[in-house]
Amino acid sequence: MGDTDAALRAEALERLLVEKGLIDPAHLDGIIEMFNTRVGPMNGARVVARAWRDPVFRQSLLHDGSSAIASYGFEGGQVDKLVVVENTPDVHNVVVCTLCSCYPWALLGLPPKWYKDPAYRSRIVREPRVVLREFGLAIAPQREIRVWDSSAEIRYMVLPMMPDRLRDADDATLLDAVSRDAMIGVQELT
Amino acid sequence: MDGIHDLGGRQGHGAVDVGAGAAIDAVWEARVFALVQVAFRAGFIRNTDQFRHAVERIDPAAYLTQGYFGRWTGGLETLLVEAGVLDSATIDSRARALGLPDNARIAARPRLQPDRIPHPPTTFHNARSLATQPRFAIGDAVVTCCHGTSTHTRLPGYARGRHGRVVACHGGWVFPDSNAHGHGEDPQYLYTVAFSAQTLWGEEADPMLSVRLDLFEPYLEATGDTDG
């Protein structure tokens, strides 16, 4: 198996670097701990839930995403510039990085495996309606699709449409309703 | 470079494994993730562009079969060897001692004469102010350059030689094509350019689809087209 080979190669690298005193295993553990506990799609969900109930924040988020989220102080990766794109009844947005796997870590954590795999990266720019159906999402032919290929340091996040059932929901319910996949654009919330 | 990494529009990769939703499936993957962060901090990797290019350069078969963290392992090993931190023979013998089969595919592709990138530049802030004015404005019709390069670039193959329209201007940014190779930051204006699916994939393509890419000014030329 290819990934078993890679795992052994990686273990060799780590051991050699540690033995030479070039890295400290405690640093590795600290990074893993941060990503396991403080970085993840719960951060993006907070931003989306607030945009749903606060029209002023929503406007500022869509106008200048980086400034709008600055006060949160999210960890886990530099987002020099965040662009938030809004799904509407007429437009569906979906995010990819065809060249590597760029993704807004600070808001969504690390990307799912499928986001990094060749199938998604090769096909979503060419036949997104087919790919989205594989995720169980049917986008009507007359609804425009915009695919954002993150080819530089701008990071993209989708602002999903709020389901009608949540119109009077409290903050906790809103937060709970937002999924990572909806913020990538491969799911719609119902 | 025209490498295996440039996947946009390539065919034959099959269905998306939509059930593979976890970011990290195994302990070794988490350790590779952290190892790369530490290698950045230690200066073994000088900047993100250099690392991306190292991943692009790994063995193409390994790129497709060893997964995201296998690709990172290959890129990391490439740069550790090129920096003179470790040597390939030592890594080989240690990996074999740990159980790596003799016929295993080695992802790393270190060069004998690697790029030399001055130390220390490592910053993850890439926006830069430019004294010059941007060449393009929102609404401008542009065409992308049509040729490839053997060095790092962020213009995907599928968007080469294509007509599009500027939909956003993002100011100046470090130019990956230069920065990846130690030729300085050479900041350039960055634009989001929208391409219709027909432009990219032919007349039969989805009329309600556009693809938007973030492209640096040197990739773009003005066209005479001014209509919608």
Side-chain angles (χ1 to χ4, degrees), chain A residues 1-17 19-20 22-25 27-29 31-32 34-35 76 78 80-81 83 90 96-102 105 110-129 131 134-135 141-156 180-181, chain B residues 5-11 13-18 20-25 28 30-35 37-38 41 44 49 52 63-66 68-73 76-77 80 85-86 88 90-92 94-95 98-101 104-106 124-127 153-156 158 169-170 173 190 192 201 206 208-216:
Chain A
M1 276 294 289
D3 59 350
T4 309
D5 292 347
L8 292 168
R9 202 83 189 171
E11 187 177 349
L13 295 179
E14 181 183 335
R15 289 193 185 197
L16 290 167
L17 291 171
E19 284 166 15
K20 282 174 165 259
L22 294 170
I23 63 166
D24 179 350
H27 286 168
L28 300 185
D29 296 335
I31 290 166
I32 292 168
M34 176 174 78
F35 274 84
Q78 184 57 37
D80 269 349
K81 181 161 183 173
V83 172
D90 296 326
V96 66
C97 170
T98 63
L99 291 173
C100 43
S101 298
C102 298
W105 290 2
L110 300 182
K113 181 173 181 295
W114 55 256
Y115 184 90
K116 302 172 283 194
D117 281 348
Y120 182 78
R121 287 165 52 197
S122 60
R123 294 174 57 217
I124 195 75
V125 291
R126 189 163 184 161
E127 47 176 9
R129 278 175 227 272
V131 172
E134 290 169 16
F135 283 93
Q142 66 274 20
R143 190 169 172 211
E144 180 185 348
I145 295 185
R146 294 178 185 167
V147 180
W148 301 84
D149 186 354
S150 323
S151 47
E153 294 302 325
I154 315 285
R155 294 290 169 266
Y156 291 92
R180 174 194 68 192
D181 287 2
Chain B
H5 68 285
D6 191 357
L7 283 164
R10 308 307 298 174
Q11 295 176 308
H13 289 290
V16 177
D17 185 5
V18 299
I24 287 180
D25 286 319
W28 78 271
R31 297 202 73 77
V32 167
F33 176 76
L35 199 53
Q37 312 304 312
V38 169
R41 287 184 204 172
F44 304 148
D49 301 310
R52 288 198 184 113
Y63 190 101
L64 293 178
T65 55
Q66 297 190 359
Y68 178 73
F69 292 102
R71 302 199 285 272
W72 273 36
T73 302
L76 175 64
E77 181 180 329
L80 289 172
V85 175
L86 297 175
S88 299
T90 305
I91 301 166
D92 275 340
R94 178 59 64 93
L98 291 167
L100 186 73
R105 196 115 205 152
I106 305 303
F124 295 100
H125 295 274
N126 287 291
T153 182
R154 297 295 289 181
L155 174 61
Y158 77 90
C169 303
H170 298 293
W173 291 77
L190 181 70
T192 304
W201 313 117
D206 190 336
M208 295 299 285
L209 168 64
S210 68
V211 180
R212 285 126 196 267
L213 294 107
D214 294 326
L215 300 178
F216 293 89

Side-chain angles (χ1 to χ4, degrees), chain B:
Chain B
M1 67 177 281
D2 289 329
I4 190 71
H5 68 285
D6 191 357
L7 283 164
R10 308 307 298 174
Q11 295 176 308
H13 289 290
V16 177
D17 185 5
V18 299
I24 287 180
D25 286 319
V27 171
W28 78 271
E29 296 179 336
R31 297 202 73 77
V32 167
F33 176 76
L35 199 53
V36 168
Q37 312 304 312
V38 169
F40 268 105
R41 287 184 204 172
F44 304 148
I45 304 173
R46 297 298 171 87
N47 63 58
T48 307
D49 301 310
Q50 181 199 30
F51 183 61
R52 288 198 184 113
H53 188 52
V55 171
E56 293 167 4
R57 291 190 279 128
I58 69 167
D59 173 67
Y63 190 101
L64 293 178
T65 55
Q66 297 190 359
Y68 178 73
F69 292 102
R71 302 199 285 272
W72 273 36
T73 302
L76 175 64
E77 181 180 329
T78 297
L79 293 183
L80 289 172
V81 172
E82 290 186 348
V85 175
L86 297 175
D87 69 86
S88 299
T90 305
I91 301 166
D92 275 340
S93 79
R94 178 59 64 93
R96 296 216 165 97
L98 291 167
L100 186 73
D102 285 346
N103 63 353
R105 196 115 205 152
I106 305 303
R109 287 280 185 88
R111 286 176 171 152
L112 293 175
Q113 293 184 305
D115 295 322
R116 291 295 175 201
I117 302 184
H119 194 53
T122 303
T123 167
F124 295 100
H125 295 274
N126 287 291
R128 298 288 181 272
S129 294
L130 291 178
T132 57
Q133 292 299 307
R135 277 183 69 197
F136 305 109
I138 290 174
D140 283 0
V142 293
V143 61
T144 53
C145 49
C146 60
H147 50 81
T149 166
S150 59
T151 50
H152 184 59
T153 182
R154 297 295 289 181
L155 174 61
Y158 77 90
R160 277 189 209 146
R162 297 297 204 275
H163 290 260
R165 198 165 289 279
V166 173
V167 295
C169 303
H170 298 293
W173 291 77
V174 172
F175 191 34
D177 305 42
S178 173
N179 199 44
H181 298 284
H183 301 151
E185 294 189 343
D186 189 23
Q188 303 288 339
Y189 281 106
L190 181 70
Y191 306 89
T192 304
V193 181
F195 300 88
S196 72
Q198 281 107 336
T199 301
L200 298 174
W201 313 117
E203 287 183 6
E204 299 299 306
D206 190 336
M208 295 299 285
L209 168 64
S210 68
V211 180
R212 285 126 196 267
L213 294 107
D214 294 326
L215 300 178
F216 293 89
E217 197 166 87
Y219 303 161
L220 305 173
E221 285 297 333
T223 70
D225 172 26
T226 53
D227 61 18

Side-chain angles (χ1 to χ4, degrees), chain A residues 45-168:
Chain A
R46 286 170 64 192
V47 172
V48 168
R50 184 170 162 200
W52 279 348
R53 61 175 149 68
D54 178 348
V56 175
F57 178 73
R58 178 195 191 92
Q59 278 314 308
S60 68
L61 183 67
L62 294 172
H63 174 70
D64 179 352
S66 326
S67 300
I69 67 158
S71 64
Y72 286 93
F74 293 135
E75 300 174 272
Q78 184 57 37
V79 179
D80 269 349
K81 181 161 183 173
L82 173 71
V83 172
V84 177
V85 291
E86 180 183 30
N87 279 353
T88 69
D90 296 326
V91 178
H92 180 83
N93 295 280
V94 59
V95 179
V96 66
C97 170
T98 63
L99 291 173
C100 43
S101 298
C102 298
Y103 188 78
W105 290 2
L107 288 145
L108 301 186
L110 300 182
K113 181 173 181 295
W114 55 256
Y115 184 90
K116 302 172 283 194
D117 281 348
Y120 182 78
R121 287 165 52 197
S122 60
R123 294 174 57 217
I124 195 75
V125 291
R126 189 163 184 161
E127 47 176 9
R129 278 175 227 272
V130 181
V131 172
L132 293 176
R133 269 203 299 276
E134 290 169 16
F135 283 93
L137 176 58
I139 302 291
Q142 66 274 20
R143 190 169 172 211
E144 180 185 348
I145 295 185
R146 294 178 185 167
V147 180
W148 301 84
D149 186 354
S150 323
S151 47
E153 294 302 325
I154 315 285
R155 294 290 169 266
Y156 291 92
M157 187 179 84
V158 175
L159 176 59
M161 290 190 288
M162 185 179 78
D164 283 341
R165 69 178 174 85
L166 297 177
R167 193 165 298 160
D168 301 312

